Amino acid sequence: LYGFVNMLQKVVREKKPDYLAVIFDAKEKTFRHEMYTEYKANRSAPPEELVPQFPYFEPLVQSFNIVSLKKPGFEADDIIGTLAKQGESSGFAVTIVSGDKDMMQLISPNVCMLDTMKNKTFGIDGVIEKFGVPPEKVIEAMALIGDSSDNIPGVKGIGPKNAADLIKRFD
């Protein structure tokens, strides 16, 4: 909770957002689990000392008068992506605060991603540097590479460099 509050306050203090929402995962399984039963099956349990803190995150956000959102059947990422695209189409400059590389597919001229753990902001060039492809091809790259954190196997023997080469060659 302490680390989360520090990160939240730093974002508010340094970025001075006009609008802000904190998005949480709902407890229920998502549509992805129905599509692929092994989705996130390899995830280990959260650290023991973190579990008792879970009930306090949302009330803490609300105590700062910040909107918190979650929706059963959807991951926080789905809601973040929806809000980012809606904000972008409404003409807003959007900053996604996350360290999740999946979010990089949303980066555009008007959407960036701030990884507070690395204190780094990613734009289109940062995505190309990381994946070797632009944001609109991150999905293809991740499908080829796989994603161990989500238990997505990918294609055996294909890493980031080969994935980028294949995508450049075959689109």
Side-chain angles (χ1 to χ4, degrees):
L1 286 166
Y2 178 74
F4 175 77
V5 167
N6 282 338
M7 182 270 304
L8 184 60
Q9 289 178 322
K10 181 178 180 186
V11 167
V12 170
R13 184 176 57 251
E14 293 179 5
K15 297 299 177 184
K16 297 177 178 48
D18 293 324
Y19 302 96
L20 175 66
V22 177
I23 316 304
F24 293 97
D25 284 326
K27 292 177 183 155
E28 297 80 8
K29 291 194 180 232
T30 71
F31 64 92
R32 286 181 185 81
H33 293 94
E34 293 174 22
M35 293 171 58
Y36 179 53
T37 56
E38 295 301 308
Y39 181 65
K40 294 188 177 183
N42 64 337
R43 287 258 172 114
S44 55
E48 235 179 85
E49 63 275 6
L50 186 60
V51 174
Q53 298 178 52
F54 285 155
Y56 300 100
F57 282 95
E58 276 188 271
L60 182 65
V61 167
Q62 293 163 352
S63 73
F64 280 100
N65 203 26
I66 296 173
V67 172
S68 68
L69 301 169
K70 67 181 173 185
K71 183 170 177 65
F74 294 90
E75 290 185 5
D77 291 359
D78 301 316
I79 300 167
I80 293 167
T82 300
L83 292 174
K85 287 298 184 184
Q86 287 177 344
E88 178 183 35
S89 68
S90 296
F92 291 100
V94 176
T95 300
I96 297 168
V97 180
S98 175
D100 188 340
K101 62 186 176 292
D102 295 351
M103 300 271 83
M104 290 185 166
Q105 66 187 284
L106 299 167
I107 293 174
S108 72
N110 295 314
V111 178
C112 67
M113 185 178 105
L114 171 63
D115 183 340
T116 58
M117 299 302 280
K118 295 177 181 169
N119 198 28
K120 182 172 181 178
T121 300
F122 292 89
I124 293 170
D125 290 343
V127 175
I128 294 169
E129 183 181 316
K130 181 166 183 61
F131 285 101
V133 297
E136 62 272 13
K137 295 294 180 185
V138 167
I139 294 171
E140 286 87 346
M142 297 282 293
L144 290 168
I145 299 164
D147 186 355
S148 60
S149 67
D150 288 342
N151 201 32
I152 307 296
V155 177
K156 188 175 179 167
I158 302 289
K161 186 178 179 337
N162 286 340
D165 290 343
L166 287 168
I167 293 166
K168 286 175 189 167
R169 186 170 169 200
F170 299 105
D171 197 36

mmCIF file of all heavy atoms in Angstrom, residues 3-33:
data_model
loop_
_atom_site.group_PDB
_atom_site.id
_atom_site.type_symbol
_atom_site.label_atom_id
_atom_site.label_comp_id
_atom_site.label_asym_id
_atom_site.label_seq_id
_atom_site.Cartn_x
_atom_site.Cartn_y
_atom_site.Cartn_z
ATOM 1 N N GLY A 3 3.985 1.663 -1.124
ATOM 2 C CA GLY A 3 4.605 1.850 -2.435
ATOM 3 C C GLY A 3 3.605 2.328 -3.469
ATOM 4 O O GLY A 3 3.911 3.201 -4.298
ATOM 5 N N PHE A 4 2.402 1.786 -3.428
ATOM 6 C CA PHE A 4 1.341 2.178 -4.355
ATOM 7 C C PHE A 4 0.982 3.655 -4.153
ATOM 8 O O PHE A 4 0.869 4.409 -5.123
ATOM 9 C CB PHE A 4 0.113 1.288 -4.142
ATOM 10 C CG PHE A 4 -1.072 1.685 -4.964
ATOM 11 C CD1 PHE A 4 -1.142 1.380 -6.309
ATOM 12 C CD2 PHE A 4 -2.134 2.364 -4.380
ATOM 13 C CE1 PHE A 4 -2.242 1.745 -7.067
ATOM 14 C CE2 PHE A 4 -3.234 2.735 -5.122
ATOM 15 C CZ PHE A 4 -3.288 2.422 -6.471
ATOM 16 N N VAL A 5 0.814 4.071 -2.912
ATOM 17 C CA VAL A 5 0.476 5.469 -2.620
ATOM 18 C C VAL A 5 1.587 6.396 -3.095
ATOM 19 O O VAL A 5 1.324 7.440 -3.701
ATOM 20 C CB VAL A 5 0.186 5.680 -1.115
ATOM 21 C CG1 VAL A 5 0.141 7.156 -0.764
ATOM 22 C CG2 VAL A 5 -1.123 5.020 -0.736
ATOM 23 N N ASN A 6 2.832 6.023 -2.849
ATOM 24 C CA ASN A 6 3.952 6.849 -3.307
ATOM 25 C C ASN A 6 3.942 6.997 -4.825
ATOM 26 O O ASN A 6 4.150 8.091 -5.355
ATOM 27 C CB ASN A 6 5.289 6.264 -2.840
ATOM 28 C CG ASN A 6 5.558 6.563 -1.388
ATOM 29 O OD1 ASN A 6 5.012 7.504 -0.811
ATOM 30 N ND2 ASN A 6 6.406 5.749 -0.777
ATOM 31 N N MET A 7 3.711 5.900 -5.530
ATOM 32 C CA MET A 7 3.666 5.935 -6.990
ATOM 33 C C MET A 7 2.501 6.790 -7.469
ATOM 34 O O MET A 7 2.645 7.633 -8.359
ATOM 35 C CB MET A 7 3.545 4.514 -7.543
ATOM 36 C CG MET A 7 3.532 4.422 -9.063
ATOM 37 S SD MET A 7 1.897 4.518 -9.856
ATOM 38 C CE MET A 7 1.013 3.197 -9.076
ATOM 39 N N LEU A 8 1.349 6.627 -6.871
ATOM 40 C CA LEU A 8 0.162 7.384 -7.251
ATOM 41 C C LEU A 8 0.379 8.884 -7.019
ATOM 42 O O LEU A 8 0.102 9.711 -7.894
ATOM 43 C CB LEU A 8 -1.048 6.887 -6.455
ATOM 44 C CG LEU A 8 -2.404 7.496 -6.775
ATOM 45 C CD1 LEU A 8 -2.789 7.246 -8.226
ATOM 46 C CD2 LEU A 8 -3.463 6.920 -5.836
ATOM 47 N N GLN A 9 0.910 9.226 -5.861
ATOM 48 C CA GLN A 9 1.169 10.636 -5.558
ATOM 49 C C GLN A 9 2.217 11.228 -6.499
ATOM 50 O O GLN A 9 2.097 12.377 -6.920
ATOM 51 C CB GLN A 9 1.606 10.802 -4.103
ATOM 52 C CG GLN A 9 0.476 10.576 -3.127
ATOM 53 C CD GLN A 9 0.917 10.701 -1.683
ATOM 54 O OE1 GLN A 9 2.008 10.285 -1.307
ATOM 55 N NE2 GLN A 9 0.047 11.276 -0.854
ATOM 56 N N LYS A 10 3.221 10.468 -6.845
ATOM 57 C CA LYS A 10 4.254 10.944 -7.762
ATOM 58 C C LYS A 10 3.660 11.223 -9.146
ATOM 59 O O LYS A 10 3.962 12.248 -9.758
ATOM 60 C CB LYS A 10 5.380 9.914 -7.871
ATOM 61 C CG LYS A 10 6.497 10.358 -8.790
ATOM 62 C CD LYS A 10 7.622 9.340 -8.835
ATOM 63 C CE LYS A 10 8.698 9.859 -9.785
ATOM 64 N NZ LYS A 10 9.747 8.932 -10.023
ATOM 65 N N VAL A 11 2.818 10.320 -9.624
ATOM 66 C CA VAL A 11 2.173 10.522 -10.928
ATOM 67 C C VAL A 11 1.319 11.783 -10.895
ATOM 68 O O VAL A 11 1.384 12.620 -11.801
ATOM 69 C CB VAL A 11 1.332 9.287 -11.342
ATOM 70 C CG1 VAL A 11 0.429 9.603 -12.522
ATOM 71 C CG2 VAL A 11 2.237 8.108 -11.669
ATOM 72 N N VAL A 12 0.531 11.949 -9.854
ATOM 73 C CA VAL A 12 -0.331 13.133 -9.740
ATOM 74 C C VAL A 12 0.513 14.400 -9.648
ATOM 75 O O VAL A 12 0.240 15.396 -10.331
ATOM 76 C CB VAL A 12 -1.286 13.011 -8.522
ATOM 77 C CG1 VAL A 12 -1.998 14.319 -8.252
ATOM 78 C CG2 VAL A 12 -2.292 11.887 -8.754
ATOM 79 N N ARG A 13 1.544 14.375 -8.831
ATOM 80 C CA ARG A 13 2.402 15.547 -8.632
ATOM 81 C C ARG A 13 3.176 15.919 -9.902
ATOM 82 O O ARG A 13 3.221 17.081 -10.298
ATOM 83 C CB ARG A 13 3.379 15.264 -7.487
ATOM 84 C CG ARG A 13 4.270 16.407 -7.088
ATOM 85 C CD ARG A 13 5.149 16.079 -5.868
ATOM 86 N NE ARG A 13 5.992 14.897 -6.065
ATOM 87 C CZ ARG A 13 5.801 13.714 -5.456
ATOM 88 N NH1 ARG A 13 4.812 13.545 -4.596
ATOM 89 N NH2 ARG A 13 6.597 12.692 -5.696
ATOM 90 N N GLU A 14 3.756 14.924 -10.569
ATOM 91 C CA GLU A 14 4.614 15.218 -11.714
ATOM 92 C C GLU A 14 3.857 15.359 -13.030
ATOM 93 O O GLU A 14 4.233 16.167 -13.872
ATOM 94 C CB GLU A 14 5.700 14.140 -11.838
ATOM 95 C CG GLU A 14 6.682 14.182 -10.682
ATOM 96 C CD GLU A 14 7.756 13.115 -10.773
ATOM 97 O OE1 GLU A 14 7.815 12.378 -11.785
ATOM 98 O OE2 GLU A 14 8.556 13.028 -9.820
ATOM 99 N N LYS A 15 2.829 14.571 -13.223
ATOM 100 C CA LYS A 15 2.103 14.599 -14.509
ATOM 101 C C LYS A 15 0.930 15.576 -14.500
ATOM 102 O O LYS A 15 0.470 15.992 -15.552
ATOM 103 C CB LYS A 15 1.610 13.193 -14.879
ATOM 104 C CG LYS A 15 2.725 12.200 -15.099
ATOM 105 C CD LYS A 15 3.623 12.624 -16.228
ATOM 106 C CE LYS A 15 4.779 11.678 -16.419
ATOM 107 N NZ LYS A 15 5.707 12.135 -17.440
ATOM 108 N N LYS A 16 0.430 15.890 -13.305
ATOM 109 C CA LYS A 16 -0.696 16.827 -13.168
ATOM 110 C C LYS A 16 -1.827 16.511 -14.173
ATOM 111 O O LYS A 16 -2.203 17.356 -14.983
ATOM 112 C CB LYS A 16 -0.224 18.262 -13.345
ATOM 113 C CG LYS A 16 0.760 18.711 -12.291
ATOM 114 C CD LYS A 16 1.255 20.125 -12.551
ATOM 115 C CE LYS A 16 2.195 20.652 -11.527
ATOM 116 N NZ LYS A 16 3.294 19.868 -11.095
ATOM 117 N N PRO A 17 -2.367 15.288 -14.101
ATOM 118 C CA PRO A 17 -3.385 14.912 -15.083
ATOM 119 C C PRO A 17 -4.685 15.695 -14.905
ATOM 120 O O PRO A 17 -5.079 16.024 -13.782
ATOM 121 C CB PRO A 17 -3.610 13.429 -14.800
ATOM 122 C CG PRO A 17 -3.229 13.249 -13.370
ATOM 123 C CD PRO A 17 -2.115 14.242 -13.117
ATOM 124 N N ASP A 18 -5.324 16.010 -16.025
ATOM 125 C CA ASP A 18 -6.646 16.636 -15.984
ATOM 126 C C ASP A 18 -7.701 15.623 -15.552
ATOM 127 O O ASP A 18 -8.681 15.973 -14.905
ATOM 128 C CB ASP A 18 -7.009 17.202 -17.362
ATOM 129 C CG ASP A 18 -6.122 18.362 -17.760
ATOM 130 O OD1 ASP A 18 -5.733 19.156 -16.869
ATOM 131 O OD2 ASP A 18 -5.797 18.477 -18.957
ATOM 132 N N TYR A 19 -7.501 14.380 -15.962
ATOM 133 C CA TYR A 19 -8.412 13.287 -15.625
ATOM 134 C C TYR A 19 -7.568 12.103 -15.202
ATOM 135 O O TYR A 19 -6.476 11.895 -15.725
ATOM 136 C CB TYR A 19 -9.269 12.894 -16.834
ATOM 137 C CG TYR A 19 -10.077 14.048 -17.376
ATOM 138 C CD1 TYR A 19 -9.601 14.803 -18.445
ATOM 139 C CD2 TYR A 19 -11.291 14.394 -16.804
ATOM 140 C CE1 TYR A 19 -10.331 15.875 -18.933
ATOM 141 C CE2 TYR A 19 -12.031 15.464 -17.289
ATOM 142 C CZ TYR A 19 -11.534 16.199 -18.355
ATOM 143 O OH TYR A 19 -12.256 17.257 -18.834
ATOM 144 N N LEU A 20 -8.095 11.312 -14.270
ATOM 145 C CA LEU A 20 -7.341 10.183 -13.758
ATOM 146 C C LEU A 20 -8.314 9.124 -13.263
ATOM 147 O O LEU A 20 -9.305 9.444 -12.607
ATOM 148 C CB LEU A 20 -6.433 10.638 -12.605
ATOM 149 C CG LEU A 20 -5.635 9.588 -11.858
ATOM 150 C CD1 LEU A 20 -4.598 8.947 -12.768
ATOM 151 C CD2 LEU A 20 -4.945 10.216 -10.649
ATOM 152 N N ALA A 21 -8.021 7.891 -13.591
ATOM 153 C CA ALA A 21 -8.772 6.760 -13.053
ATOM 154 C C ALA A 21 -7.782 5.646 -12.766
ATOM 155 O O ALA A 21 -6.777 5.496 -13.468
ATOM 156 C CB ALA A 21 -9.830 6.275 -14.043
ATOM 157 N N VAL A 22 -8.038 4.901 -11.729
ATOM 158 C CA VAL A 22 -7.237 3.730 -11.405
ATOM 159 C C VAL A 22 -8.122 2.520 -11.669
ATOM 160 O O VAL A 22 -9.256 2.444 -11.178
ATOM 161 C CB VAL A 22 -6.757 3.749 -9.939
ATOM 162 C CG1 VAL A 22 -5.994 2.473 -9.609
ATOM 163 C CG2 VAL A 22 -5.879 4.973 -9.688
ATOM 164 N N ILE A 23 -7.589 1.599 -12.468
ATOM 165 C CA ILE A 23 -8.369 0.453 -12.919
ATOM 166 C C ILE A 23 -7.867 -0.806 -12.214
ATOM 167 O O ILE A 23 -6.659 -1.045 -12.136
ATOM 168 C CB ILE A 23 -8.241 0.274 -14.448
ATOM 169 C CG1 ILE A 23 -8.352 1.614 -15.194
ATOM 170 C CG2 ILE A 23 -9.263 -0.734 -14.947
ATOM 171 C CD1 ILE A 23 -9.591 2.414 -14.933
ATOM 172 N N PHE A 24 -8.812 -1.604 -11.738
ATOM 173 C CA PHE A 24 -8.487 -2.831 -11.033
ATOM 174 C C PHE A 24 -9.035 -4.038 -11.786
ATOM 175 O O PHE A 24 -10.054 -3.941 -12.472
ATOM 176 C CB PHE A 24 -9.103 -2.819 -9.626
ATOM 177 C CG PHE A 24 -8.496 -1.797 -8.712
ATOM 178 C CD1 PHE A 24 -9.095 -0.558 -8.531
ATOM 179 C CD2 PHE A 24 -7.321 -2.070 -8.033
ATOM 180 C CE1 PHE A 24 -8.541 0.390 -7.688
ATOM 181 C CE2 PHE A 24 -6.756 -1.124 -7.186
ATOM 182 C CZ PHE A 24 -7.364 0.100 -7.012
ATOM 183 N N ASP A 25 -8.361 -5.174 -11.621
ATOM 184 C CA ASP A 25 -8.898 -6.439 -12.122
ATOM 185 C C ASP A 25 -10.053 -6.855 -11.221
ATOM 186 O O ASP A 25 -9.995 -6.670 -10.000
ATOM 187 C CB ASP A 25 -7.838 -7.545 -12.078
ATOM 188 C CG ASP A 25 -6.809 -7.427 -13.183
ATOM 189 O OD1 ASP A 25 -7.153 -6.996 -14.293
ATOM 190 O OD2 ASP A 25 -5.633 -7.791 -12.934
ATOM 191 N N ALA A 26 -11.098 -7.407 -11.827
ATOM 192 C CA ALA A 26 -12.183 -8.009 -11.050
ATOM 193 C C ALA A 26 -11.737 -9.421 -10.649
ATOM 194 O O ALA A 26 -10.817 -9.986 -11.240
ATOM 195 C CB ALA A 26 -13.457 -8.060 -11.882
ATOM 196 N N LYS A 27 -12.362 -9.983 -9.653
ATOM 197 C CA LYS A 27 -11.984 -11.312 -9.166
ATOM 198 C C LYS A 27 -12.388 -12.423 -10.141
ATOM 199 O O LYS A 27 -11.752 -13.458 -10.197
ATOM 200 C CB LYS A 27 -12.619 -11.571 -7.804
ATOM 201 C CG LYS A 27 -12.062 -10.712 -6.709
ATOM 202 C CD LYS A 27 -12.768 -10.950 -5.387
ATOM 203 C CE LYS A 27 -12.210 -9.999 -4.344
ATOM 204 N NZ LYS A 27 -13.112 -9.722 -3.267
ATOM 205 N N GLU A 28 -13.454 -12.190 -10.899
ATOM 206 C CA GLU A 28 -13.989 -13.215 -11.777
ATOM 207 C C GLU A 28 -13.035 -13.513 -12.940
ATOM 208 O O GLU A 28 -12.249 -12.663 -13.339
ATOM 209 C CB GLU A 28 -15.345 -12.770 -12.366
ATOM 210 C CG GLU A 28 -16.433 -12.567 -11.331
ATOM 211 C CD GLU A 28 -16.339 -11.216 -10.606
ATOM 212 O OE1 GLU A 28 -15.525 -10.359 -11.003
ATOM 213 O OE2 GLU A 28 -17.075 -11.025 -9.626
ATOM 214 N N LYS A 29 -13.140 -14.720 -13.466
ATOM 215 C CA LYS A 29 -12.376 -15.067 -14.662
ATOM 216 C C LYS A 29 -12.898 -14.235 -15.830
ATOM 217 O O LYS A 29 -14.018 -13.720 -15.790
ATOM 218 C CB LYS A 29 -12.494 -16.558 -14.965
ATOM 219 C CG LYS A 29 -11.769 -17.402 -13.938
ATOM 220 C CD LYS A 29 -11.593 -18.820 -14.389
ATOM 221 C CE LYS A 29 -10.869 -19.569 -13.307
ATOM 222 N NZ LYS A 29 -9.732 -20.281 -13.755
ATOM 223 N N THR A 30 -12.081 -14.114 -16.857
ATOM 224 C CA THR A 30 -12.441 -13.273 -17.996
ATOM 225 C C THR A 30 -12.770 -14.121 -19.215
ATOM 226 O O THR A 30 -12.589 -15.346 -19.201
ATOM 227 C CB THR A 30 -11.280 -12.331 -18.361
ATOM 228 O OG1 THR A 30 -10.219 -13.099 -18.943
ATOM 229 C CG2 THR A 30 -10.771 -11.569 -17.143
ATOM 230 N N PHE A 31 -13.200 -13.453 -20.262
ATOM 231 C CA PHE A 31 -13.499 -14.141 -21.514
ATOM 232 C C PHE A 31 -12.255 -14.842 -22.073
ATOM 233 O O PHE A 31 -12.367 -15.815 -22.811
ATOM 234 C CB PHE A 31 -14.080 -13.167 -22.545
ATOM 235 C CG PHE A 31 -13.136 -12.081 -22.978
ATOM 236 C CD1 PHE A 31 -12.316 -12.249 -24.090
ATOM 237 C CD2 PHE A 31 -13.066 -10.880 -22.282
ATOM 238 C CE1 PHE A 31 -11.444 -11.253 -24.493
ATOM 239 C CE2 PHE A 31 -12.191 -9.872 -22.671
ATOM 240 C CZ PHE A 31 -11.376 -10.066 -23.784
ATOM 241 N N ARG A 32 -11.073 -14.382 -21.701
ATOM 242 C CA ARG A 32 -9.840 -15.028 -22.175
ATOM 243 C C ARG A 32 -9.708 -16.444 -21.607
ATOM 244 O O ARG A 32 -9.190 -17.333 -22.268
ATOM 245 C CB ARG A 32 -8.619 -14.196 -21.798
ATOM 246 C CG ARG A 32 -8.482 -12.955 -22.637
ATOM 247 C CD ARG A 32 -7.241 -12.157 -22.244
ATOM 248 N NE ARG A 32 -7.197 -10.921 -22.992
ATOM 249 C CZ ARG A 32 -7.889 -9.834 -22.668
ATOM 250 N NH1 ARG A 32 -8.662 -9.833 -21.602
ATOM 251 N NH2 ARG A 32 -7.807 -8.743 -23.405
ATOM 252 N N HIS A 33 -10.158 -16.639 -20.387
ATOM 253 C CA HIS A 33 -10.112 -17.968 -19.778
ATOM 254 C C HIS A 33 -11.035 -18.930 -20.531
ATOM 255 O O HIS A 33 -10.752 -20.124 -20.614
ATOM 256 C CB HIS A 33 -10.515 -17.905 -18.301
ATOM 257 C CG HIS A 33 -9.536 -17.167 -17.453
ATOM 258 N ND1 HIS A 33 -9.665 -15.831 -17.175
ATOM 259 C CD2 HIS A 33 -8.403 -17.571 -16.840
ATOM 260 C CE1 HIS A 33 -8.663 -15.442 -16.413
ATOM 261 N NE2 HIS A 33 -7.879 -16.468 -16.188
#
